[in-house]
Amino acid sequence: MQLPGLWLLLSFGCAASLSPSCLSAQFRRPGDFILGGLFPFGKDTVNLTARSEPTLLLCERLFMDGLIWALGMRFTIDQINNSSSLLPGITLGYDMYDTCFEPLVALQPSLLFLTRNGTTGIGVLCNYTEYQPRVTAVIGPHQSDLCLVTAKLFSSFLIPQVSYGASSETLSNTELYPSFYRTVPSDKNLAEAVVLLLNQFGWNWVATVGSDDEYGRGAQSLFLSMAGTNNICIAFEGLIPTDLAEPSARKQLEDTVRAINSTKVNVVVLFAYSLPAQALLEHSIRMGLGKKVWIGTEAWILSSITASIPNVQSIGTVLGFVMRTGTVPGFQEYVAELFSSVAQEEFCRRSKELSRLMNPEVLDTHCQQCDQVTLRDIWATLSVTTVQPVHVAVYSVAQALHRALGCTTKSCPKTAIKSWQLLHFMNTLPFEVTGQSFRFDQSHSTNTGYKLIFWAWRDGSLTHLPVGDYDQTLYIRRTQIQFHTTDKKEPTSECFRRCETGQFRRIKGFNLCCYDCTDCSENTFWSSTDSTGCSPCPQHQWAPARSTRCYDRTERFLFWDSALAVTLVTIMALTALLICGTALLFLKHLQSPLVQVSGGGRSLFTLLMLLLQSLSCCLYVGRPSAVLCSLQQLSYAFCLNGCFSTFVPKALEITLLTEFPRRAPRLLQWVTHGWAWLLVAASLLIQALLSFCHLRLGPDFLVADYKSLPSEVLLVCGTQSWTAFALLHGYNSCLAFACFLCTFMVQTPAKRYNVARGITFATLIFFVIWIFFLVIFATLRTVLRPVTQICTILATTLGILASYFVPKCYILVFRPDLNTGDFCQNPGEEEPEEVSR
């Protein structure tokens, strides 16, 4: 059945083309408001030197798609014109043109749409507010490449343009394209769906190929940016030519197949239109590329051309996302009735009448290819080609026009409406089409979601089996997908093995998928499978190596029941018993010459201070606190001062007798008897003042050390101010040094007890112990720090006891015959007889 009569109804003809390889077709119909339409009718746009049979089939398919979309626009306009509630009393007309898939060809009718209504010229004005172009709005074109050219043009005049197929994310920029709309989701939604699909199957090592056009480049770029943030690594990314007539096209395709093969990936993501996708798949089969999982898009997944490639089943598993659309009720019946009406005489008569109304400047040639289309040719394509986006696009303009005119369900006022006045209503208000609600989002798109399609081969025939849905989240019916593997399960596609529990990925080089699995160190834990590092534990927690969680730290200090503490407390108790025994012995022989020459009652006070000093070791055992920390150094310093303060009068007495014998009788009264006790009290008072300064400047404080021990928190007393520490203990060091200077050079006659020697050795032992103590105390940060302090206290106590008191105890117990006035004299004292001689 030939269609010149049908397209006469549409005022069909062929205008001069910008490209000799395509026919530019125009379809016109008058009305109160004209909608411009841009559709791909150009069957001859693919200009190859040697066309294969599939290529010719593709050309036919492209032509059929454009024809069906144009019929969809006419059907929708007829439906609106026959409606009693939408634009009542208003008729819509249309002015359709062939884009021939060429930007320059699409530009020619676009300029015509911009001409002032009723003329063929575009007015050059400063203000286009009252400018009335030839069309009220534009439907189309289908491809992103063409929309990028036309959208800027129409946006300059703020003419609404609604595409039914352009998905490029670039067109979402409403600042550059304020009047561009589309009834399909953008490629951003598609890229998100593909990333979710890869993540659900655990495919993180993939190749991606795009056609070298706006759609392929844009979609691939979006996918690459999202893949990087979702731990998906790209083994290969490449572009394939869209113009297969180029001499280098074959080599580019072969290089792409070789590159995919070298990566050893099992998943290939393909963003391309039908013809480039067909060429890539043909070369993959011819070059023996192994079976892969091919993830496609609507641009080629539903194409009968790619499905008809010889031996296409050998490429592996094909999954793809197609836009979720509904059917347009009555459209197929409308097309069938339209074809059957061509043979009627009334139809031909009306077509001739309408053809005389067309502008001869626009229609000057006839489209020869349209005469060969029959209902039989187009019927198979009707069930595949999606018409709903065109249907929704026309309705979006009609609904905006209805609201802009202020129409009711009964009538519409006959007023002029400028194109830019429709934008507000398209931006803000939802509209309903066949019971389904639509609304343009902030990027002027309608996101209806996607269906996941699986190529299911049954008895050699292909079925597009829906196996999932995407609408912000992805749901997959995995049991319906039979992969090309032996067990029909999904193949793996990973760069390396997955890291084990407690290991993280250490990236090697620049590729995110090239990594080593490294164990998490102590006090870090592994948080997720795809983590590129281990997370540190909070300060109060710890974790062993390769841990997946953190544990609370236990407190560590010198416990009372620890073996070390028991040993030290035992030594402390023995020291205390030894001191008590010495004190009892001295008390028993208090009036003996030996005890009197050793200081008499002051010796008992020294032993009391040594006893308290040894008992102060208990302050270092058990859980420390701020109070205990401040008492530790004070108790030690005060007790030690009580000991050395009793040595000072005896040391001064010895010095006076040995170094100043002539003045000694006058001065001895200041360092003996009651004055000696006054010196002791003054020394203790000074030490008390220094202790107060220590508390004011910075006493020792409780430190929770989380770094010294791997799994415990060490509770120790820390030094807040070393200046305060020096003041507290420096005074005792000065007393000890003064005693040492007063006694270390004293010579004792034969058969006399050397009182000075005990003081010398006691102070010397003190200095030796404190040299080791300061070095260890300043650097040690473990539980042994309180042990060091206890050992220092006990060593100092035992050193003074052994050097000063034990020799006297030996004489009192084992050599009482030496406890006489002659033997126990201060150095420098002589008998009167010897003096007279």
Side-chain angles (χ1 to χ4, degrees):
M1 180 183 297
Q2 297 183 353
L3 296 181
L6 170 62
W7 294 107
L8 280 173
L9 176 61
L10 294 171
S11 303
F12 181 89
C14 288
S17 171
L18 296 178
S19 172
S21 63
C22 75
L23 294 167
S24 183
Q26 182 204 9
F27 309 76
R28 292 210 64 197
R29 176 174 176 171
D32 296 322
F33 294 93
I34 303 297
L35 303 184
L38 296 173
F39 297 96
F41 303 119
K43 183 173 71 171
D44 299 325
T45 55
V46 185
N47 185 18
L48 301 179
T49 55
R51 294 179 180 172
S52 61
E53 186 63 26
T55 301
L56 293 176
L57 288 174
L58 177 63
C59 296
E60 293 287 351
R61 172 60 192 274
L62 295 176
F63 171 69
M64 292 298 178
D65 285 343
L67 184 59
I68 291 172
W69 287 326
L71 288 172
M73 179 173 176
R74 171 181 167 161
F75 165 75
T76 308
I77 289 177
D78 284 348
Q79 194 177 57
I80 294 170
N81 288 338
N82 294 328
S83 172
S84 60
S85 58
L86 182 60
L87 293 175
I90 299 293
T91 58
L92 296 180
Y94 49 81
D95 197 349
M96 303 182 195
Y97 278 86
D98 181 13
T99 63
C100 296
F101 295 96
E102 292 287 344
L104 291 178
V105 177
L107 192 60
Q108 184 188 35
S110 298
L111 291 172
L112 185 63
F113 292 158
L114 295 176
T115 59
R116 190 186 296 271
N117 192 21
T119 70
T120 57
I122 301 176
V124 179
L125 306 173
C126 294
N127 187 348
Y128 284 90
T129 304
E130 300 299 326
Y131 186 81
Q132 185 66 56
R134 184 187 191 92
V135 298
T136 304
V138 178
I139 306 299
H142 177 262
Q143 287 183 296
S144 298
D145 300 64
L146 306 184
C147 285
L148 287 173
V149 176
T150 59
K152 274 193 176 182
L153 198 60
F154 294 128
S155 293
S156 299
F157 289 79
L158 293 182
I159 297 177
Q161 176 186 3
V162 187
S163 174
Y164 51 89
S167 58
S168 173
E169 180 63 17
T170 306
L171 293 164
S172 297
N173 190 336
T174 55
E175 292 184 0
L176 288 178
Y177 311 104
S179 66
F180 178 82
Y181 300 83
R182 56 184 162 202
T183 54
V184 294
S186 74
D187 289 335
K188 181 180 180 181
N189 303 105
L190 177 63
E192 289 174 349
V194 173
V195 167
L196 286 177
L197 175 65
L198 296 175
N199 280 335
Q200 286 209 20
F201 283 108
W203 295 324
N204 62 6
W205 184 240
V206 302
T208 175
V209 181
S211 53
D212 194 7
D213 51 30
E214 177 60 30
Y215 169 73
R217 290 190 301 267
Q220 188 182 66
S221 177
L222 285 169
F223 169 71
L224 291 174
S225 63
M226 293 181 186
T229 58
N230 285 272
N231 296 317
I232 296 172
C233 301
I234 307 302
F236 168 77
E237 58 177 285
L239 297 174
I240 54 177
T242 54
D243 188 358
L244 301 179
E246 292 182 1
S248 60
R250 182 184 181 92
K251 184 178 184 303
Q252 279 185 262
L253 291 166
E254 291 177 349
D255 291 343
T256 300
V257 173
R258 292 192 190 96
I260 295 173
N261 188 53
S262 65
T263 60
K264 307 299 182 184
V265 299
N266 287 324
V267 178
V268 181
V269 181
L270 179 57
F271 299 101
Y273 285 115
S274 298
L275 185 59
Q278 171 212 357
L280 180 64
L281 295 177
E282 284 180 342
H283 279 77
S284 300
I285 297 170
R286 182 177 60 82
M287 297 176 66
L289 183 67
K291 291 186 176 182
K292 310 289 183 185
V293 176
W294 293 84
I295 298 177
T297 65
E298 189 170 5
W300 67 269
I301 197 76
L302 297 178
S303 173
S304 59
I305 303 304
T306 52
S308 62
I309 297 173
N311 200 25
V312 71
Q313 298 96 322
S314 64
I315 64 173
T317 304
V318 178
L319 293 169
F321 289 97
V322 299
M323 188 173 62
R324 190 165 56 199
T325 59
T327 59
V328 178
F331 176 65
Q332 290 187 340
E333 294 80 0
Y334 173 83
V335 174
E337 183 181 351
L338 197 60
F339 271 83
S340 63
S341 65
V342 174
Q344 299 175 9
E345 184 178 346
E346 177 64 19
F347 179 86
C348 294
R349 184 186 62 79
R350 290 187 58 198
S351 297
K352 291 176 182 179
E353 290 178 358
L354 288 171
S355 66
R356 288 194 294 267
L357 301 176
M358 298 300 104
N359 190 340
E361 295 180 3
V362 178
L363 308 173
D364 54 3
T365 59
H366 186 69
C367 180
Q368 301 297 326
Q369 68 205 59
C370 304
D371 294 344
Q372 310 303 321
V373 181
T374 65
L375 180 60
R376 185 177 183 181
D377 296 329
I378 203 173
W379 191 255
T381 314
L382 276 174
S383 59
V384 179
T385 304
T386 303
V387 183
Q388 191 191 38
V390 179
H391 190 63
V392 174
V394 177
Y395 260 100
S396 68
V397 175
Q399 295 271 9
L401 186 60
H402 182 92
R403 289 160 178 160
L405 288 169
C407 299
T408 65
T409 56
K410 303 287 186 180
S411 64
C412 283
K414 295 286 186 177
T415 58
I417 287 293
K418 305 299 184 294
S419 298
W420 59 268
Q421 293 176 304
L422 301 182
L423 298 181
H424 167 73
F425 300 98
M426 297 184 71
N427 290 338
T428 58
L429 298 176
F431 57 95
E432 190 172 299
V433 181
T434 60
Q436 185 177 358
S437 181
F438 293 89
R439 185 175 196 146
F440 292 112
D441 57 23
Q442 291 182 346
S443 62
H444 293 179
S445 305
T446 56
N447 186 9
T448 56
Y450 294 94
K451 289 189 298 184
L452 180 62
I453 298 298
F454 167 61
W455 272 16
W457 294 94
R458 296 172 182 172
D459 300 327
S461 61
L462 174 62
T463 302
H464 298 108
L465 181 65
V467 292
D469 294 282
Y470 170 76
D471 188 2
Q472 308 303 323
T473 58
L474 178 62
Y475 170 72
I476 304 175
R477 295 180 287 275
R478 297 196 180 201
T479 56
Q480 297 183 7
I481 305 175
Q482 294 186 347
F483 289 91
H484 57 268
T485 54
T486 305
D487 58 358
K488 304 300 182 184
K489 301 294 184 182
E490 66 268 15
T492 59
S493 189
E494 299 175 328
C495 177
F496 294 116
R497 62 179 177 85
R498 286 189 178 272
C499 293
E500 297 179 4
T501 302
Q503 293 182 326
F504 70 95
R505 296 178 178 181
R506 187 182 296 277
I507 305 300
K508 298 192 301 183
F510 298 101
N511 198 313
L512 293 177
C513 270
C514 294
Y515 56 84
D516 290 326
C517 291
T518 306
D519 293 346
C520 288
S521 60
E522 290 184 348
N523 293 326
T524 62
F525 69 100
W526 173 78
S527 56
S528 65
T529 307
D530 300 320
S531 177
T532 57
C534 297
S535 303
C537 291
Q539 191 179 42
H540 66 282
Q541 293 184 321
W542 75 286
R546 292 190 65 174
S547 177
T548 58
R549 55 166 293 191
C550 293
Y551 304 90
D552 291 334
R553 289 177 179 267
T554 57
E555 293 181 343
R556 179 70 182 277
F557 47 85
L558 189 59
F559 294 96
W560 282 101
D561 57 352
S562 64
L564 191 57
V566 171
T567 302
L568 292 174
V569 170
T570 302
I571 296 173
M572 179 200 71
L574 293 175
T575 302
L577 289 175
L578 185 59
I579 293 171
C580 290
T582 303
L584 291 175
L585 187 62
F586 267 58
L587 183 62
K588 181 180 179 181
H589 300 88
L590 183 61
Q591 300 302 324
S592 66
L594 181 61
V595 175
Q596 288 297 315
V597 80
S598 301
R602 295 194 305 275
S603 296
L604 293 177
F605 183 77
T606 304
L607 290 170
L608 176 62
M609 290 294 103
L610 290 178
L611 177 63
L612 294 176
Q613 181 173 284
S614 63
L615 293 177
S616 70
C617 293
C618 295
L619 299 175
Y620 298 88
V621 184
R623 191 184 191 280
S625 65
V627 176
L628 288 177
C629 288
S630 60
L631 288 177
Q632 287 175 358
Q633 297 298 330
L634 294 178
S635 62
Y636 177 47
F638 200 82
C639 293
L640 193 61
N641 181 266
C643 177
F644 285 146
S645 64
T646 60
F647 289 164
V648 170
K650 177 56 66 177
L652 292 175
E653 181 184 354
I654 293 171
T655 301
L656 290 174
L657 290 173
T658 56
E659 301 297 330
F660 308 100
R662 293 181 180 181
R663 297 182 181 181
R666 281 196 328 268
L667 299 175
L668 282 177
Q669 60 177 339
W670 299 100
V671 294
T672 57
H673 307 296
W675 292 102
W677 282 106
L678 187 60
L679 287 175
V680 172
S683 178
L684 290 173
L685 179 61
I686 294 172
Q687 186 63 52
L689 292 175
L690 292 174
S691 298
F692 178 76
C693 293
H694 178 266
L695 291 175
R696 297 293 296 177
L697 290 176
D700 287 6
F701 64 103
L702 180 63
V703 176
D705 184 0
Y706 294 96
K707 297 181 180 179
S708 299
L709 302 176
S711 62
E712 298 167 307
V713 50
L714 178 63
L715 300 180
V716 293
C717 294
T719 303
Q720 184 173 351
S721 172
W722 285 102
T723 302
F725 182 88
L727 284 176
L728 185 67
H729 294 285
Y731 179 60
N732 287 332
S733 300
C734 291
L735 292 179
F737 188 65
C739 293
F740 178 77
L741 290 178
C742 291
T743 58
F744 85 102
M745 291 293 290
V746 174
Q747 298 294 325
T748 303
K751 298 182 181 180
R752 296 279 183 91
Y753 179 71
N754 193 342
V755 180
R757 187 180 301 166
I759 297 175
T760 301
F761 279 107
T763 55
L764 185 61
I765 289 171
F766 166 76
F767 282 121
V768 171
I769 291 173
W770 260 78
I771 289 171
F772 285 101
F773 166 72
L774 286 176
V775 174
I776 297 173
F777 183 76
T779 57
L780 201 61
R781 290 290 184 273
T782 66
V783 74
L784 295 178
R785 190 174 189 183
V787 173
T788 303
Q789 292 174 286
I790 293 175
C791 290
T792 301
I793 293 172
L794 293 177
T796 304
T797 304
L798 290 172
I800 295 173
L801 196 64
S803 60
Y804 190 79
F805 289 99
V806 169
K808 296 174 177 61
C809 292
Y810 176 79
I811 292 173
L812 292 175
V813 175
F814 298 105
R815 297 295 303 272
D817 57 305
L818 297 179
N819 190 6
T820 63
D822 292 337
F823 184 76
C824 302
Q825 286 183 347
N826 283 320
E829 291 183 346
E830 296 182 359
E831 294 180 357
E833 296 80 11
E834 294 180 359
V835 173
S836 62
R837 287 197 299 265

